[in-house]
Amino acid sequence: MVSGLALVPDAQIGTAWTLEAADGRIPTAAIDVYESATIRARFNAVSTWELVLPTASDGCQALLNAARPRLIVSSRVSEVFRSGPPIDFNRTIDDNGDMMTITGVDDLAWLGRRLAHPQPASTAPPYSTSIYDTRTGPVSQVIAAYVNANAGP
């Protein structure tokens, strides 16, 4: 299932979303000047995003100069909706000005690139059919434990 969410700035009513540039997990600049922001949120799959903003803006410069650039999209109540790294920067200079189109993915891309094994400690077959990895607890902790066991901390 794919749903598109267009985040368009409106000076009259503001926005229900906040955009931040980050270096790793550390926010470095608010992105409050942009032409458009679109997020294609996918259920159980990697979501994608596109941000069009002036190249000279603080937010764009923060993404360009970060060692580990990331976009963080949060709701007005500061809950992170999506976050992830950029994968492409496309600069356009024309009569409308100097604009940067940045596209990226959310953090599920990291998991999508990893191969999980039935027995994380054994990287090659044959696998034992008698070993089970059963975990209980809050779903966020169970998923984090499986990711830690299969992909590392």
Side-chain angles (χ1 to χ4, degrees):
M1 181 169 83
V2 177
S3 64
L5 172 66
L7 308 176
V8 180
D10 186 331
Q12 300 297 321
I13 61 171
T15 181
W17 303 96
T18 60
L19 304 176
E20 293 179 294
D23 192 345
R25 293 183 178 184
I26 302 168
T28 55
I31 300 175
D32 50 5
V33 177
Y34 57 93
E35 185 175 289
S36 67
T38 305
I39 299 171
R40 287 169 193 83
R42 293 180 171 87
F43 180 72
N44 285 342
V46 177
S47 298
T48 59
W49 53 268
E50 178 182 88
L51 181 62
V52 180
L53 68 167
T55 303
S57 67
D58 291 341
C60 184
Q61 291 301 308
L63 286 170
L64 287 171
N65 295 319
R68 296 176 305 154
R70 294 170 37 87
L71 176 71
I72 300 172
V73 180
S74 303
S75 68
R76 183 169 275 165
V77 292
S78 298
E79 292 181 11
V80 174
F81 175 66
R82 292 287 190 279
S83 66
I87 57 173
D88 188 44
F89 293 87
N90 187 13
R91 188 174 184 182
T92 306
I93 301 173
D94 58 19
D95 293 339
N96 294 328
D98 185 358
M99 301 296 286
M100 183 72 69
T101 301
I102 306 171
T103 56
V105 294
D106 73 357
D107 289 326
L108 283 179
W110 304 117
L111 293 178
R113 295 176 183 160
R114 292 289 300 190
L115 179 63
H117 297 282
Q119 290 174 265
S122 176
T123 59
Y127 300 114
S128 171
T129 58
S130 64
I131 295 179
Y132 292 92
D133 187 358
T134 304
R135 297 168 192 255
T136 60
V139 70
S140 61
Q141 293 175 3
V142 171
I143 291 171
Y146 277 123
V147 169
N148 186 50
N150 286 281

